[in-house]
Amino acid sequence: QALVQVRFPLVAHFQELSGIAGIQDHLSELLPYLQGQQVQQMTITLAPGTETPPPTMTTMVWRFTGDDQWTLALEPGAASLFVGDEYRGIEDFADRFFQVLSALYETRRVRRCDRLGLRYLNIVEPPPGDERAWARWFKQELIGWVGAGILGPNTRLHSSLAQTQISVPPVDSFAVAPADVQAMVRHGVLPAGTEIPLESGSPRMVEQEAYVIDLDLFIQAPQRFDPETLIKQFQSLHAQIDAFFHWSLTEEGARNFGMGEL
């Protein structure tokens, strides 16, 4: 799943159907279908001696869809554009996201971006009869000792997950960012039957042992909501995700995924 999200200060008009009419008009060719869903959000405050039930708030989530897998989920304070297996490349992704940014900008109600994030969730399921193919497809630095041949033939690997969080100042390829670029990298092995939550709402169940690489890069800092600037930042985030995935593959893995340099 490929997902990009932009967060902004709450816009009360996005809670009502009439408040998103302009966005629907702007995206009528890209995402012509609209559905609304009320979501309960709960705020919990822990205080000594307090027995008052936590307050709840109903938020409207608008889902713009088309005849493909692309979906835009719009809330009063965030917009998320995502797709699953029908992902066709960065050019198409960037074009769609720019249309979403422009639609939000044209409402004249979204003036500031508080967070821009790009996430690629890759689920790699090896072919039947070659369940440990992932150990040959990805570099040893990423696989770790579980893929080094140390496990015996009768050893069952239940799961092996790692998470790394890093940040880098806005220099060089990230010079377009207004603040540090942060990254959350998760990778490892999941057993058959594991359900992986997705933004679409329906979890993805892996049918057999699978290797997962989850790359999440984001910029969390207030900045002017300018579509041209935000799309440049989006492209800089994608370039790093692309480079990391390219680095992660062995020669056999590159052949398996049809990797090619343009």
Side-chain angles (χ1 to χ4, degrees):
Q1 184 177 69
L3 177 144
V4 61
Q5 184 189 70
V6 59
R7 296 182 187 175
F8 42 83
L10 292 175
V11 179
H13 286 271
F14 290 173
Q15 186 76 358
E16 306 295 334
L17 182 61
S18 59
I20 63 165
I23 295 177
Q24 185 180 29
D25 291 342
H26 195 103
L27 301 176
S28 59
E29 294 295 328
L30 182 68
L31 300 166
Y33 312 130
L34 175 64
Q35 289 183 321
Q37 178 184 8
Q38 289 188 336
V39 177
Q40 293 285 339
Q41 293 185 340
M42 180 179 295
T43 302
I44 299 178
T45 303
L46 300 179
T50 301
E51 298 181 359
T52 305
T56 59
M57 179 179 64
T58 300
T59 297
M60 203 69 183
V61 178
W62 305 101
R63 289 185 177 268
F64 297 79
T65 58
D67 294 318
D68 49 24
Q69 290 186 3
W70 285 93
T71 300
L72 170 66
L74 176 64
E75 306 172 39
S80 304
L81 178 67
F82 54 90
V83 68
D85 295 337
E86 290 191 10
Y87 179 79
R88 291 294 176 267
I90 183 58
E91 291 82 5
D92 178 56
F93 193 10
D95 178 67
R96 291 171 183 268
F97 183 47
F98 187 75
Q99 292 186 57
V100 170
L101 292 173
S102 299
L104 292 170
Y105 179 78
E106 290 299 327
T107 66
R108 305 301 179 188
R109 301 188 185 279
V110 183
R111 298 293 188 179
R112 191 180 79 196
C113 171
D114 291 332
R115 187 182 189 274
L116 174 66
L118 179 62
R119 182 183 181 188
Y120 278 74
L121 174 60
N122 306 279
I123 304 172
V124 180
E125 295 182 282
D130 194 7
E131 287 75 13
R132 294 289 169 85
W134 50 264
R136 304 192 310 272
W137 293 347
F138 295 97
K139 288 184 177 178
Q140 189 62 38
E141 295 92 333
L142 206 64
I143 294 299
W145 65 269
V146 296
I150 193 174
L151 299 178
N154 297 322
T155 302
R156 182 181 178 186
L157 179 60
H158 293 277
S159 65
S160 176
L161 293 173
Q163 175 175 298
T164 302
Q165 185 171 1
I166 58 176
S167 63
V168 62
V171 296
D172 300 327
S173 60
F174 287 139
V176 294
D180 287 1
V181 175
Q182 303 183 57
M184 189 79 72
V185 180
R186 307 174 186 88
H187 59 90
V189 185
L190 296 177
T194 301
E195 287 191 347
I196 302 176
L198 300 176
E199 287 294 328
S200 60
S202 301
R204 166 77 177 271
M205 178 177 289
V206 295
E207 302 294 335
Q208 60 183 8
E209 183 179 275
Y211 195 81
V212 176
I213 298 182
D214 185 1
L215 305 172
D216 187 358
L217 272 66
F218 57 94
I219 303 167
Q220 189 159 322
Q223 60 175 308
R224 189 168 68 91
F225 195 96
D226 176 55
E228 294 286 352
T229 300
L230 293 174
I231 202 68
K232 290 178 180 178
Q233 295 173 14
F234 163 84
Q235 291 168 337
S236 70
L237 296 179
H238 173 269
Q240 292 300 316
I241 290 178
D242 194 31
F244 184 91
F245 190 79
H246 190 182
W247 165 84
S248 73
L249 297 176
T250 62
E251 291 185 3
E252 181 179 345
R255 290 194 300 270
N256 176 75
F257 293 116
M259 178 70 72
E261 292 191 17
L262 302 179

